[in-house]
Amino acid sequence: MKKITKLLSVILLVVLCFATLTSCGETQPADDGGNDEPAPAPAPAKPNQVIIGTDTEANGDWAYGAFTSSINATDQDVLTLTDDMSTVTSNFSGDYVINDSIVDSYERTENEDGSVTYTFKIKQGLVFNNGDPVTAQNFLAWPLFTLSKVGKDAGTTSSSWDYIPGGVAYREGTTNVLPGLRLLGDYEFSQTIMAEGATADENGEHQVYLPYYYELAYAGAQAVNLDYWFGPGWSVKDDGEGAYLENADGKDLTTVLDSVAAAQYATSDRVTAGPYNLVSFDKSANEITLEINPNYCGDFSGRKPNIQKVIIVKAEDETIIDNLATGGVELYSSIADGELVNAALDLIDAGEFDGSYTSYDRAGFGYFQFACDLGPAQFTEFRQAVAYLLDRNEFANTFCQGWGGVVHGPYCTAFSMYNDSKEFLAQNLNTYDFNPEKAVELLKEAGFVLNADGTDYVDGSGLVRYKEVTAEQAENYGDFCVEVNGKTLMSATLNWASSEGNSVSDLLATMLANGAATKEAGIEIKQSIMTFPELLNYMYRQDAYGLGGDYSVPTYNMFNLATGFSSGAYDFSNEFTTKPALLEEGYNTTHLYDADLDKLSMDMVYGVEPGDYDTYLDMWQKFVVRYNEMLPRVPLYANIYVSVYPNTISNYVEGPFWGFDRAILYADFVG
Amino acid sequence: MVKYMIKRLVYLVIVFFVVSLMMYFVYNLIPSDPALVQMEPLRKTLKPEEFNRQYQELRQKLGLNDPLIVRYARWMGLIKDMDGKFSGMLQGDFGYSISYKRNVVDIIKVPMANTIILNLVSTILTLAITIPLGIYCAVHARKTSDSIIQATTVIGYSLPTYLIGILFIYIFAVLLRWFPVGGAKTPGATYTGMRELLDRLYYMCLPLIVLVFTGLAGMTRTVRAAMIDTLSQDYIRTARAKGLKEKVVIYSHAWRNALLPVSTSIMGWIIGVFTGGALVIENTFSLNGTGKLYWSGLSTTDYELVLAMQMFYTLVSLIGVLLTDVIYTIVDPRVRLDK
C-alpha cells in the first residue's frame, strides 16, 4: 500500500508541478510575441482583444462561396471580417445598400430591351491590406473567373451567367469576352442585368429576372486582388466589346487554378480589404486570429474597428458556461437554447462572468408543415383544426425556456414590413389560440363526422374521426382509408415524418400528437422518426439514387422543420408554384396549389419595381394574410437569441441580420 | 515465420477488400442523396432551372447515376473515375468530402495527428499506471488496499466518459483553475519552441487525465486477473520454496508468464482507443480529432469521409491483430507461428 501511495503521490506531484509550470501562460497577455519572461507588473493591462466562441468549426475556405452550395458559418464570419470591398452590402436591418465608402457614384440605366445597367464609379485611393491599389479591374476579376468555362469546370456555383448578357457563350468557353461586364476606366465599370434569362426550360419559358424588388442584390461586386488570386501578370481589359481577363505572358486561364486553390485555403496573409486581416488559422487548435487592417476604408457608414485583435475559437454548448466563467471564451453569440441562456445570465448575475448581454428576435421560426394534397391535410378546415389543438404559446415558452415567442405567419419580427404592419396584422391574422372546441367545429365543417364503420361520430368518444371522400381525394392514402358500403372513408390521421434527435419533435409529440385535446377531438397523428436526409427525400418526393424506398410516392403529410432569413430580402417566389416541372424538381413542398398565394408570392418580388415599397408592402400583407388562412405551415416558435460579451468592450449590439462579425466593428474596447 | 506472415498478409488483403465492399454498400444503401443534401442550401438562392441543372451536374460529377458496384470499383480505384483517371483508395485517393469540399486526405491529416498524439500519450500513461497497479492488486489480492483500488478504478470504468469529462472540467478547470476548460492552446498566443510545446501540453492535460482515468479499471483488472492466475501456479510455489526473494518471484517468474494474456488485451485495447475511444473526449474538450471528424461525417452524410476513416480503422485493426500474433511469439517462446 505504501508503494501505491508513493506512486500516486509522485503522479500527483508531477501533474501539479506541470500545471504550475505551464499555467503561467494563462496570465500572460496572449499577444506577447512569444516572450518567455513573466510580466513584471502585478496587474497587467487587459489586452485589446476579444476571444469569441463559435459552435461551428471553420473549414478555412475563403473563396466567397464560389465553389460551395453553402458557406460554413464561421468561414462566412471571417469573410465578413476580412473582406468588405463590395459595391453593395447590407445594413443592420438586412436591407441591401450601396457601400458609400467605396462607391463614389453610381447610375442605374433602364435599357430598351428591358435590361438594366448599373454603372459604378469607385473612389480613388482605396487599397488592399498589402497596400495594392483597388481599381475597377478588381471588381470585375472575380465574376470573370467564376463565370468562365474554366471556373465552371472547376466547380463554381454562380448562376449569374444566365442574366448577364453574353454569359452563356462565356460560360461555354466560345468567347473569352463578357459583354455584360464593362471596364469603363480605371475607376469605373458597369454590369448589365437582363430582364429574362438566356436559357429556356423544357417548355421554352425563360426565367424572369426583372423587375425584381431586390434588384440591387444583382448589382453587387466584390473586389479581389488579381495578383493574389490569379498569380502575376493578370489584368482585366476591355476593347469596347466587354471585359475579359488577360495575362501579360499569354498564359491560359486554366493556369490560375493552382493559385486560386492556394488563396482559397490560405491560413495566413490573405490579401483582402476588410476591417481585419487574417493573421492565422490554426486548424489543429481550431483557432482563427484576426488583427485590425490599418488600410481599411471603413464600412458603408464609414465605421472602422478599434478592437485590435479578434480570436475565434471552437466552443461547445456543453462547456461554454465553464469557458465563460474561466475566460476561455469572452463572447458567445446567438445562444438559442433557453436553458443555456438562463445559465449564461445567471453567470453574469453571480459576477462569475464580467460581462453583459444583448438579445434580439431570431430571423426565422420553427414550424410544422403539411403536404396539402395528401389525406386529411388537403382540407383547409382540417389544417386549421390541427392548429387550434396546439397551445403554441405554451409550446414556445416550454421549448425556448422563456426566450422565444410565436409568430402567426411567414415572417420575423425584425422585418420592416412586419413593423410597418403591426396593426394590420393584429386585425387580420388568425392567431389560432388553443381552442379544442373550435377545432371540433372545423373538423365537422370539413366533413369528419363519421366513425370507421360509417355511423355518426359522437363528440368526446375518443375515437378517430372519418370522412367520406372521393377516390381522387383518397389517392395515395389507402392505408388510412376504409371501404364501407361502397363508400370510401378517410380517417383524420396525419402521417408525420420527424427527424431523429430533434427536441422540437419530442415536444410536439407530447403536446400535439399525444395530447389529450388531439385525441378528444378525434384526430390521430402517427409519428415516424427518420434521418433528416430521408425526411427531405419524403418532403421533396425525390427518389434518392433510385435505390430502395419510393420517395416519389406521397407518403407523409406532416413534417417539422425550421427556416431562417439570411437577409432582409423576403423572397417566397416559386414556394407555391403549380408548374409541373417545378413540382417535379421539389418546389412547393407543402403542395398547396392555391392560385392566389402563388400569384402573390411571385408578384411581390417580380411584379414590383425596386424602391416601390408601398406596393410591395400591400402585396406582402395580402400574402401573409392568405398564408395565415390557408395554413400550409403552422409556426411553432421564434427564438430570442442572446449573446454575451465581456465588459472590456462596450456598444456591442447584435441584431437578426447583424451577427458578431458586423457588431464587433461598432464595439469599443474599454479595457 | 515468413511463410506464415505472407499467408496472413494475403488474408489481410482479402479481408480488407471484403470489408470495404460491405462498408461501401452499407453506407450507400442508406436512403440519402448527397447531391441533394449538398445543393439544398442553394434552393432559395438559385432559380429553379439553374438549381436543377446544378443538381443534375453534381449527381453526374459524384457518379451517383451509376450502379453501386461501378461506384465501388471507382472509389476503390479499380476502374477509371469521372475524369478518366484511376484515382481511388488503391492510388491513395481517399475520396472527396462533400461537406468540407476538399479531398479527404487533406482534411484528415491534422485531426489524425491530434488523435494519435493524444491517444499515444494516454496509452503510455495508462499502461505505466495500470501494470504496476494490477500487479500490486494481485499480490495483495482481497486485502483492503486491493479493494480500495478496485473500487476507485471502477468508477472511471462504469461512469460515462462524457460525465467524467464534465465532472473533471468542473473540479479541475472551474473550481481549482488548474487547467483550461477546453481547446488546444492559449487563445491568441504566439508562443514558439519549448513554450509552445508546454502550452499545448498544458491544454492536453485534462483530456489526458480523463482518458487515463477512464482506462484504469479495465487494464488494471486484466493484469490483476492474469497475475493472480499465474501466482497460483505450481512453479511459483516452487520458486518460493527455493527461497527466492518475493520481488524476483513476482517480476521475474510471475509477470513474464502473466504477460501473455495481457499482451493480447493491451493490443485490443490500444486498437479500441485509436479507432473511436477519443470521440467523446474530443467533443467535450473541443479538440480537433478523428473521432469528432467521424461523427461530423456521419451527421452530414459525408460518406466518402466516413468510409475513408472506417477503412483506416479496419486497416489498423487488421494490422493490430497481426501484430498481436507476432507479439505472442515473442513473449511466449512455446508459440510458433509456422507450426
Side-chain angles (χ1 to χ4, degrees), chain A residues 531-542:
Chain A
T531 63
F532 189 65
E534 191 170 20
L535 183 149
L536 288 181
N537 289 339
Y538 279 116
M539 194 174 79
Y540 291 122
R541 296 180 181 174
Q542 287 179 323

Side-chain angles (χ1 to χ4, degrees), chain A residues 1 69 157 282 540 551 606, chain B residues 31 38 40 47 54 136 200:
Chain A
M1 187 66 192
S69 54
T157 57
D282 185 341
Y540 291 122
Y551 299 104
Y606 287 111
Chain B
Q38 203 177 335
E40 187 52 32
K47 303 302 171 194
Q54 288 197 19
Y136 177 86
R200 297 240 175 201

Side-chain angles (χ1 to χ4, degrees), chain B residues 98-150:
Chain B
I98 58 165
S99 55
Y100 289 88
K101 305 277 179 189
R102 300 179 77 174
N103 288 328
V104 169
V105 74
D106 293 333
I107 301 162
I108 222 163
K109 280 179 198 163
V110 170
M112 186 73 80
N114 284 347
T115 298
I116 287 174
I117 290 169
L118 183 69
N119 285 307
L120 206 63
V121 178
S122 80
T123 303
I124 293 166
L125 280 176
T126 309
L127 290 177
I129 296 170
T130 53
I131 290 174
L133 212 57
I135 294 171
Y136 177 86
C137 288
V139 174
H140 299 85
R142 284 174 284 280
K143 288 184 182 166
T144 315
S145 57
D146 175 41
S147 304
I148 291 171
I149 291 167
Q150 294 287 312

Side-chain angles (χ1 to χ4, degrees), chain B residues 14-269:
Chain B
I14 293 169
V15 172
F16 181 80
F17 271 95
V18 171
V19 170
S20 71
L21 188 70
M22 285 168 63
M23 289 292 176
Y24 193 86
F25 271 66
V26 165
Y27 279 112
N28 282 280
L29 283 171
I30 295 170
S32 164
D33 184 343
L36 187 63
V37 171
Q38 203 177 335
M39 286 295 297
E40 187 52 32
L42 281 179
R43 191 179 285 274
K44 281 194 174 176
T45 54
L46 290 180
K47 303 302 171 194
E49 290 80 7
E50 177 60 11
F51 178 87
N52 192 44
R53 192 191 62 76
Q54 288 197 19
Y55 167 66
Q56 296 301 341
E57 268 185 16
L58 190 59
R59 279 189 68 87
Q60 183 66 26
K61 186 181 170 188
L62 298 175
L64 298 178
N65 297 324
D66 295 319
L68 205 49
I69 191 72
V70 174
R71 281 158 43 204
Y72 167 77
R74 195 179 290 136
W75 172 73
M76 188 46 80
L78 299 171
I79 61 170
K80 288 178 181 173
D81 68 6
M82 310 306 289
D83 300 330
K85 296 174 195 159
F86 287 99
S87 57
M89 294 282 279
L90 296 177
Q91 289 79 29
D93 185 340
F94 298 108
Y96 184 76
S97 161
I98 58 165
S99 55
Y100 289 88
K101 305 277 179 189
R102 300 179 77 174
N103 288 328
V104 169
V105 74
D106 293 333
I107 301 162
I108 222 163
K109 280 179 198 163
V110 170
M112 186 73 80
N114 284 347
T115 298
I116 287 174
I117 290 169
L118 183 69
N119 285 307
L120 206 63
V121 178
S122 80
T123 303
I124 293 166
L125 280 176
T126 309
L127 290 177
I129 296 170
T130 53
I131 290 174
L133 212 57
I135 294 171
Y136 177 86
C137 288
V139 174
H140 299 85
R142 284 174 284 280
K143 288 184 182 166
T144 315
S145 57
D146 175 41
S147 304
I148 291 171
I149 291 167
Q150 294 287 312
T152 311
T153 55
V154 89
I155 294 172
Y157 189 71
S158 51
L159 284 177
T161 311
Y162 167 76
L163 199 65
I164 293 171
I166 295 289
L167 193 70
F168 276 37
I169 284 173
Y170 183 68
I171 295 169
F172 294 109
V174 180
L175 285 183
L176 300 172
R177 303 281 170 118
W178 286 0
F179 303 108
V181 171
K185 63 186 271 279
T186 303
T190 51
Y191 303 136
T192 51
M194 183 53 75
R195 191 62 204 271
E196 185 190 10
L197 181 70
L198 283 174
D199 186 51
R200 297 240 175 201
L201 283 173
Y202 172 58
Y203 271 75
M204 205 195 272
C205 274
L206 200 50
L208 270 177
I209 290 171
V210 175
L211 267 178
V212 170
F213 186 68
T214 53
L216 286 179
M219 194 48 66
T220 306
R221 280 163 179 262
T222 306
V223 175
R224 180 182 178 272
M227 277 296 285
I228 286 174
D229 187 46
T230 312
L231 287 170
S232 65
Q233 297 296 314
D234 288 344
Y235 60 84
I236 297 294
R237 201 173 300 125
T238 307
R240 280 179 176 145
K242 278 164 60 184
L244 290 175
K245 282 183 181 173
E246 188 62 13
K247 214 179 234 178
V248 176
V249 172
I250 292 168
Y251 292 105
S252 191
H253 292 256
W255 169 237
R256 284 181 65 178
N257 286 291
L259 196 61
L260 191 60
V262 171
S263 64
T264 51
S265 303
I266 288 174
M267 209 59 215
W269 181 69

Side-chain angles (χ1 to χ4, degrees), chain A residues 179-442:
Chain A
L181 298 182
R182 298 296 313 277
L183 181 66
L184 304 170
D186 286 346
Y187 298 97
E188 195 173 351
F189 67 96
S190 73
Q191 180 177 336
T192 300
I193 303 138
M194 297 192 296
E196 281 190 348
T199 51
D201 64 15
E202 291 167 353
N203 302 318
E205 288 182 26
H206 293 257
Q207 174 66 46
V208 173
Y209 288 99
L210 298 176
Y212 185 56
Y213 186 68
Y214 297 107
E215 181 189 282
L216 204 54
Y218 293 139
Q222 163 84 38
V224 299
N225 187 294
L226 277 95
D227 284 355
Y228 176 66
W229 277 96
F230 304 148
W234 286 93
S235 59
V236 176
K237 304 272 183 182
D238 191 325
D239 302 331
E241 301 295 323
Y244 61 93
L245 281 166
E246 188 182 75
N247 184 271
D249 301 322
K251 285 182 185 169
D252 187 79
L253 193 57
T254 51
T255 59
V256 308
L257 291 176
D258 286 343
S259 181
V260 167
Q264 182 179 3
Y265 296 112
T267 53
S268 62
D269 302 324
R270 289 183 68 229
V271 179
T272 53
Y276 286 90
N277 293 332
L278 178 71
V279 174
S280 68
F281 171 37
D282 185 341
K283 185 70 183 162
S284 78
N286 274 326
E287 180 190 292
I288 296 161
T289 305
L290 307 153
E291 279 186 18
I292 280 183
N293 169 19
N295 292 329
Y296 181 49
C297 63
D299 76 345
F300 66 96
S301 67
R303 175 74 188 189
K304 294 181 181 181
N306 73 35
I307 297 174
Q308 182 61 32
K309 190 190 262 191
V310 171
I311 301 151
I312 301 171
V313 295
K314 175 76 174 72
E316 309 293 336
D317 272 357
E318 291 79 5
T319 53
I320 187 62
I321 299 300
D322 294 336
N323 254 318
L324 286 167
T326 56
V329 168
E330 296 173 319
L331 191 155
Y332 200 54
S333 179
S334 309
I335 310 174
D337 186 305
E339 212 171 304
L340 209 54
V341 169
N342 289 330
L345 299 192
D346 286 347
L347 207 64
I348 293 171
D349 288 344
E352 291 176 48
F353 172 63
D354 183 20
S356 309
Y357 74 96
T358 174
S359 64
Y360 57 92
D361 291 346
R362 170 189 175 179
F365 57 92
Y367 59 86
F368 68 86
Q369 73 172 45
F370 300 103
C372 304
D373 62 344
L374 183 64
Q378 66 191 287
F379 307 108
T380 306
E381 295 86 352
F382 180 89
R383 299 195 296 270
Q384 292 172 338
V386 174
Y388 276 115
L389 290 169
L390 177 67
D391 187 341
R392 293 188 303 136
N393 285 307
E394 181 62 27
F395 185 96
N397 203 34
T398 306
F399 181 71
C400 303
Q401 301 265 312
W403 291 93
V406 286
V407 289
H408 307 296
Y411 55 81
C412 77
T413 54
F415 284 136
S416 51
M417 299 86 79
Y418 168 80
N419 289 304
D420 292 338
S421 310
K422 273 184 183 172
E423 202 177 321
F424 172 85
L425 296 177
Q427 288 169 0
N428 292 282
L429 291 191
N430 187 343
T431 56
Y432 295 100
D433 294 330
F434 182 62
N435 190 341
E437 292 79 22
K438 181 71 179 169
V440 170
E441 197 182 302
L442 284 163

Side-chain angles (χ1 to χ4, degrees), chain B residues 293-311:
Chain B
L293 191 67
Y294 184 61
W295 178 252
S296 154
L298 280 173
S299 52
T300 54
T301 62
D302 193 351
Y303 293 136
E304 291 220 359
L305 174 63
V306 173
L307 273 166
M309 297 182 70
Q310 197 82 62
M311 293 321 297

